[in-house]
Amino acid sequence: MTWPPVAALCRVPFGERDRELLWGQEFNVLDIHRGWAFGYALPDGYAGYVEAHMLALSDTPATHRVSVRQTVALAEPDFKATRVEQIPLSLGSEVRVLASDEKWATIACAPHKLHVPTRHLSPLDTPEHDPVSVAERLIGTPYVWGGNSAFGIDCSGLVQIACRACRIPCPGDSDQQRESLGRSLDPGTPPQRGDILFWKGHVGWVSGPDALLHANAYHMAVASEPLGAALQRIADQGDPVLRHARLTRV
């Protein structure tokens, strides 16, 4: 089995990665040329090129999402089995559950069936309530430009993966997020858990009154650090906070 857990979404064929598609994420193909599929990701509409062999046709919608940092899909429902190929799946990946018991969920992966620990999945129709708790599961994840997964993620990817788990509409890039997420707060408003801070080309979660959680190149990872120290370090680089926002729930 060679199914990829993520697929790069590039601005041009063979170009640099802009974002990634997680396992099970829908992609509307508009054209295929020389092995590259052009289209856009659902539901955020992010457009680009994906290697066509990374995509699979499906006429059945996903039912569950991976709710832990990372899990594995196995060819057999037995974690002790030897010589069993396994596919790592990131937080936020979407799967269709065909059957399940207390230990294993059988998921569709045409023409095969795979098996994932049941406790690692949550129904898509049961959103989470705290996006920061979702983002905190990725602390220590390597910083990767354009990354959207537990295998590597950037600042806007960390915001988007947490919002999606809570069914909060969220675009893919930090500048788009700055324009659309939440309501703006006046300068000097005390930050609280769940607020979002925006800089030029950067975004992070407020995870407590004096804590910032963000994927960043300084730590080269998703890291939590004292808010005041982080604000000062980033300001010293010439980047003041451009917007302080508080999420609004539908």
Side-chain angles (χ1 to χ4, degrees), residues 192-243:
Q192 67 180 37
R193 183 179 175 90
D195 287 357
I196 308 177
L197 299 179
F198 295 93
W199 295 261
K200 182 180 180 181
H202 190 55
V203 60
W205 290 104
V206 175
S207 54
D210 187 35
L212 178 68
L213 176 67
H214 57 151
N216 64 93
Y218 179 78
H219 295 92
M220 285 305 296
V222 176
S224 178
E225 59 178 318
L227 178 59
L231 292 175
Q232 187 61 58
R233 184 184 71 248
I234 298 172
D236 289 345
Q237 298 171 354
D239 293 316
V241 173
L242 299 179
R243 184 173 180 246

Side-chain angles (χ1 to χ4, degrees), residues 127-138:
E128 302 210 29
H129 299 289
D130 180 10
V132 174
S133 71
V134 178
E136 286 173 333
R137 294 168 209 166
L138 294 173

Side-chain angles (χ1 to χ4, degrees), residues 62-135:
T63 60
H64 291 68
R65 67 179 179 277
V66 175
S67 55
V68 295
R69 173 175 176 159
Q70 188 175 328
T71 189
V72 289
L74 303 174
E76 299 178 25
D78 181 2
F79 59 83
K80 291 184 178 180
T82 59
R83 298 183 180 178
V84 174
E85 293 183 86
Q86 61 185 38
I87 301 170
L89 297 180
S90 167
L91 173 71
S93 299
E94 297 184 359
V95 300
R96 179 169 181 80
V97 172
L98 303 174
S100 65
D101 55 30
E102 291 185 359
K103 181 172 285 189
W104 293 101
T106 302
I107 65 171
C109 185
H112 307 277
K113 295 178 182 178
L114 300 175
H115 308 275
V116 174
T118 301
R119 293 183 179 181
H120 292 180
L121 303 177
S122 297
L124 285 177
D125 59 5
T126 306
E128 302 210 29
H129 299 289
D130 180 10
V132 174
S133 71
V134 178

